[in-house]
Amino acid sequence: MQGKNEFHYRSYDTLIKALLTQGCLEEAIKVKHIAETHIKGFTLNSAASSLLIISQVRRDYLKDAVAVLKGMLDSGLLPTRPAVTALIQTLAEKGDLKNLQALKNMLEDITKSIGVSASLIANAIALAHTKNNDLDAAVECLEPLLISGAQNPDQAVKSISYLLRKVSEEGLEPALEKFGVMAERLASQFGIYRPVTELFLQYVSADRADDARSLVQRCGALVEEKSTLVSFMARSASKPGQAKKIETLLELIPEHLDAETAYHYLMKCYESDGDIASVMAVYEKTKAKNIQLHELSLKSLAAFLKEAGEPVPFTEPPETFKFYVEKWRNRRLEAS
């Protein structure tokens, strides 16, 4: 009997996940109710519950999604990062501070376990204040966290890139200006440069080169955030159509970028675009500037040219231990 119940349990769980994957939320809920009726103590596992949350968020059933998440946590189940991220970001878009604060309290002890950064929650709360037309409250909740995060790495809330991207994409210019003033104040008064560097990179992303240039002239120290700049280039190179961002960086702050790294990612951008002419133009430029590309760049370029049926104009380097270390490092940067 025990084995039969376990089989039915798994069958219901599998069916519910399949329905949710196909976007059949109402049908999945009906099957869930049937399972709860036929099997005492039936509960969805973590994967199915997380899919349910994502489906509810897509349908704008946010109250139900919050309830499912609370039920999971009460049962000792951990939600997936995509489910939590989708719920947090949608609540922020709605300006739902009450439920965001409830989520913050629920997730306080498990953010690391599920891979959700404290920055995301802080950004979401600030965005919710922004959506409610309360920019002062947004700054008041965010600025102390950025200061304490810089002073205590164990409690770091360092990034505001999500917030800056959202207000920029939605054309909320007063908000972008307000957060820009905050970022420059943190840089000038506290020596905290990451927020202003992220503002600079948001201008670059939004094709606002003049604003980016003006910002770096006012706050030149932002270029010292080397890891933030490299992560930006790595993420840009991970998807097509992003080459202009790195071209703009090379135009605005060439002396503050590691040339080998910048041209590596620029070449990778054009490889993602399948742009043979631009790839070769970048390669020729590195030769003219006497920039020594590392093995990862040359191996990637060789593979790209071979696949395109083009000759490889250099001796392909062997796949040494250094090559694999560099490849792993770049994957980490792209995911950060």
Side-chain angles (χ1 to χ4, degrees), residues 134-168:
D134 196 346
L135 294 178
D136 288 336
V139 170
E140 286 168 11
C141 79
L142 197 57
E143 190 171 64
L145 294 175
L146 291 166
I147 294 170
S148 63
Q151 294 170 343
N152 184 357
D154 293 335
Q155 301 175 4
V157 181
K158 296 178 180 177
S159 175
I160 58 169
S161 60
Y162 168 71
L163 176 64
L164 296 174
R165 177 172 58 81
K166 291 303 293 183
V167 298
S168 176

Side-chain angles (χ1 to χ4, degrees), residues 292-322:
Q292 185 66 44
L293 292 173
H294 51 58
E295 293 175 356
L296 186 62
S297 301
L298 295 174
K299 289 289 292 184
S300 178
L301 175 56
F304 172 76
L305 292 173
K306 286 177 184 176
E307 189 174 335
E310 298 288 330
V312 178
F314 53 83
T315 302
E316 189 174 346
E319 294 184 355
T320 61
F321 175 73
K322 179 183 175 184

Side-chain angles (χ1 to χ4, degrees), residues 82-334:
V84 173
T85 300
L87 182 53
I88 288 172
Q89 292 180 345
T90 305
L91 289 171
E93 289 281 353
K94 300 287 185 182
D96 191 341
L97 286 163
K98 181 180 177 181
N99 277 314
L100 274 176
Q101 191 59 53
L103 248 64
K104 180 184 176 185
N105 295 336
M106 284 185 219
L107 300 170
E108 197 163 13
D109 297 327
I110 63 164
T111 50
K112 287 186 179 179
S113 301
I114 59 177
V116 172
S117 71
S119 292
L120 175 62
I121 298 174
N123 276 244
I125 291 173
L127 180 59
H129 280 301
T130 302
K131 291 288 186 171
N132 294 329
N133 297 312
D134 196 346
L135 294 178
D136 288 336
V139 170
E140 286 168 11
C141 79
L142 197 57
E143 190 171 64
L145 294 175
L146 291 166
I147 294 170
S148 63
Q151 294 170 343
N152 184 357
D154 293 335
Q155 301 175 4
V157 181
K158 296 178 180 177
S159 175
I160 58 169
S161 60
Y162 168 71
L163 176 64
L164 296 174
R165 177 172 58 81
K166 291 303 293 183
V167 298
S168 176
E169 287 176 351
E170 296 182 24
L172 303 175
E173 198 62 27
L176 190 61
E177 290 176 8
K178 184 83 170 181
F179 298 133
V181 169
M182 179 193 72
E184 292 192 55
R185 181 169 63 249
L186 289 171
S188 62
Q189 294 183 11
F190 299 95
I192 299 171
Y193 297 110
R194 180 163 177 174
V196 78
T197 304
E198 290 177 334
L199 177 62
F200 168 77
L201 293 173
Q202 181 54 47
Y203 285 144
V204 170
S205 294
D207 200 18
R208 294 171 59 165
D210 289 342
D211 290 322
R213 184 179 293 106
S214 177
L215 182 59
V216 81
Q217 288 170 352
R218 293 197 306 273
C219 188
L222 68 83
V223 298
E224 298 306 318
E225 280 285 324
K226 304 295 185 188
S227 62
T228 303
L229 294 170
V230 173
S231 293
F232 174 81
M233 290 189 288
R235 287 193 303 272
S236 298
S238 67
K239 41 190 192 248
Q242 306 297 305
K244 188 174 182 181
K245 295 179 181 179
I246 299 178
E247 292 276 19
T248 301
L249 286 181
L250 284 164
E251 175 194 339
L252 294 175
I253 52 170
E255 67 276 17
H256 299 291
L257 297 175
D258 177 77
E260 182 181 328
T261 301
Y263 280 102
H264 161 71
Y265 286 122
L266 180 57
M267 195 177 295
K268 195 173 177 188
C269 281
Y270 285 125
E271 287 173 14
S272 296
D273 295 341
D275 189 340
I276 298 171
S278 294
V279 168
M280 291 310 299
V282 173
Y283 173 70
E284 293 300 331
K285 187 178 288 187
T286 62
K287 281 175 50 179
K289 290 176 173 286
N290 200 27
I291 296 168
Q292 185 66 44
L293 292 173
H294 51 58
E295 293 175 356
L296 186 62
S297 301
L298 295 174
K299 289 289 292 184
S300 178
L301 175 56
F304 172 76
L305 292 173
K306 286 177 184 176
E307 189 174 335
E310 298 288 330
V312 178
F314 53 83
T315 302
E316 189 174 346
E319 294 184 355
T320 61
F321 175 73
K322 179 183 175 184
F323 166 80
Y324 287 108
V325 169
E326 201 66 50
K327 194 171 183 180
W328 172 82
R329 176 176 172 271
N330 277 281
R331 283 177 177 169
R332 289 288 300 273
L333 284 168
E334 288 164 17

